[in-house]
Amino acid sequence: MLTITQELVDRIVAHARKDHPDEACGVVAGPAGSDRPERFIPMLNAAMSPTFYEFDSGDLLKLYREMDDRDEEPVVIYHSHTATEAYPSRTDISYANEPGAHYVLVSTADTDGLGDFQFRSYRIVEGEVTEEEVEIVAAY
């Protein structure tokens, strides 16, 4: 189960809305071994695409060095889908290389404001996708 604060959910959804119609992406880091997302790190979608996201390799290297220096790890890796439901695509699954991370997807497909944005979390290990419950809390 992913336990995450309402503030972090709001920031992830706001980033997805801001970058629409392109996919948004980013990381929420937390203390190593804690499974607690704390530090919101929006990233640039280097692909600048409505159907694909890609972290800039230089930005990603910088982020991993920074997390290492702070004794953090990627607890949540998130991105948005702009035209489909919040479920990992084949490409998403093939790029999922953090078996301990929660992979959060936000769907911004409903852009007319009449429906809720989907916010879903998955574990992706060795190509196997498992949806998990999301518990949204006020604080840890």
Side-chain angles (χ1 to χ4, degrees):
M1 172 179 18
L2 169 62
T3 302
I4 189 168
T5 63
Q6 183 66 59
E7 177 192 357
L8 287 169
V9 170
D10 292 346
R11 292 179 83 178
I12 291 168
V13 170
H15 183 202
R17 286 178 171 162
K18 181 178 81 61
D19 282 11
H20 189 88
D22 289 338
E23 289 192 4
C25 58
V27 172
V28 184
S34 72
D35 198 38
R36 189 174 68 212
E38 292 183 351
R39 190 165 63 95
F40 176 72
I41 308 153
M43 304 283 284
L44 172 70
N45 178 355
M48 298 181 127
S49 167
T51 59
F52 179 75
Y53 83 98
E54 181 177 31
F55 291 119
D56 177 84
S57 59
D59 289 348
L60 199 57
L61 179 60
K62 180 181 170 198
L63 171 63
Y64 271 82
R65 285 182 175 156
E66 185 179 283
M67 286 190 298
D68 191 47
D69 290 345
R70 296 171 63 123
D71 198 25
E72 293 176 327
E73 63 189 6
V75 177
V76 169
I77 299 172
Y78 73 88
H79 76 282
S80 60
H81 281 183
T82 61
T84 59
E85 71 172 320
Y87 189 84
S89 68
R90 285 190 306 263
T91 303
D92 297 338
I93 295 165
S94 71
Y95 284 124
N97 60 2
E98 288 287 348
H102 302 270
Y103 285 88
V104 166
L105 279 98
V106 176
S107 175
T108 58
D110 181 8
T111 58
D112 62 4
L114 297 176
D116 291 333
F117 283 73
Q118 292 178 9
F119 186 100
R120 296 165 71 184
S121 183
Y122 304 88
R123 293 290 190 155
I124 305 173
V125 179
E126 295 180 9
E128 192 74 28
V129 177
T130 306
E131 185 165 8
E132 62 183 351
E133 186 179 334
V134 177
E135 180 183 11
I136 300 172
V137 298
Y140 301 122

